[in-house]
Amino acid sequence: MKREWYQQKWVTIALHTLGWLAFISLPYLLHPSSDTHAQERMNEKPKWELYMYFTDLVMITFFYLNAWVFIPRLLNKKKVVKYTLSVLAVFVFMMTARYEFEVLFLNPHVIDIRPAILFTLLVFFFIWSTSTAFQMIVDKVRQERQTSARENENLKTELSLLRSQVSPHFMFNVLNNMVSLARKKSDVLEPSLIKLSSLMRYMLYEADEDKVPLQKEAEYLQSYIDLQQQRFGKNVTINVSLEVSNNTYEIAPMLLIPFVENAFKHGTGLISDAQIDIQLYTRPGILFFSVRNKYNPVSSEVKDKTSGIGLVNVKRRLNLLYGEEYVLHIDKKEDWFIVSLQLNLPG
C-alpha cells in the first residue's frame, strides 16, 4: 500500500532533525546578555559549549532510548519500577556529568548545585515528557493502523464468504431450469445453455471484482429472468423494466440477484395468478430497485425452513459495503411480498 507523503521515512527524519536543531539553538537564542556568570566565564566559553554539545547528545540519546527501549520493553510490559529506575539513572548520570565537568574543567569556584539541579531537571523533564508523548502517539497510530488492517482483512474475508454462498445457490436454481427444459425437450434449450454460459462467464471472471458496471449487472439480471421465464412460461406473469441511464455507474457484483431469486422461489408454485414485478431505474447518483411477487403464506413458510440465506446475505453485504448509503424496505401486504432498495451510487 502506497503511503501518503507525510508518512514517508524522509519526512519523519527531516522533522526530527528540525526539531533537534531548534532545541539545540534555544540556549543561544534565550541567553541573557546581562548574565554576570556568563561575563565572568567568557574565557571558559569553549569549555561550556563543549559541555552543552555533550548534554545535547545525552538528551537526544535519552529521547530515543526512552521512546524505543524503556517504554516498549519496560513501561508497556507493566515493569513500572524498572522503568522508573532506568529514567532516574539517566538523570543521575547527567547530574554527575555536570558536577564532574565543573570540578575538572572550570576554574576553582564555589559550586552551587541547586540551580544546576533545577535547570537540568526542567530540561530533563521536558525531554522525557516529549519522548513519552511521542512514543505513545506512535503506538496509538500503529495500533489503529493494525486494527484497521485487521478489520479490512476480516471484511474482505466475510464478503468473499457471502459472495461464495450466493453463487452456488444461484447455480442450483439455473441448473434446475436446464433440467426442466431438457425433460420437455424444448427448442429453447440450446439458446438457454448459451445464455447460461454467458452468466457463468460473468460469475467466474467479473463477479470477483469489487465493483462492476451497473449496466452489466442489469444484463445479468435480465438473462436470469429470461431463463426463469422460459421455465415457467404462462404459469407466471413477469413484468420487467431495467433502465440504466448512466453507463458510468458501478455496483457490487451479484448484489441484486438474491431479491430476484427470492421472488421466483416464493412467487411460484401453488399460487393463483402468480405474478412477479421487477423494476430498476436510475436517477442522478441514485439507484431505485424494486421486486414484488405474490406469495402463498402457507407454502412460503415451508420454503423458508430450507432456504432464505440469500436475503440474509444481501442485507449483510449492503451493511458492509454501503453503510448508511442505502435504504432497504421489505414488506408483506395483502399476499404481496415487496422489496424496495434505494442505493446511492458514486458518479
Side-chain angles (χ1 to χ4, degrees), residues 72-92:
R73 295 187 180 182
L74 299 177
L75 188 60
N76 288 349
K77 295 183 178 180
K78 310 300 181 183
K79 299 178 181 179
V80 180
V81 175
K82 289 185 178 180
Y83 173 78
T84 304
L85 292 176
S86 299
V87 173
L88 289 177
V90 176
F91 178 74
V92 171

Side-chain angles (χ1 to χ4, degrees), residues 18 30 42-43 81 112 162 240 283 299 316 332 336:
L18 290 175
L30 302 178
M42 283 299 295
N43 58 333
V81 175
D112 188 354
L162 294 175
V240 183
R283 294 294 181 266
S299 63
R316 182 59 180 155
K332 292 181 179 180
W336 281 91

Side-chain angles (χ1 to χ4, degrees), residues 57 84 142 187 282 299:
L57 179 60
T84 304
R142 184 185 296 115
D187 294 335
T282 59
S299 63

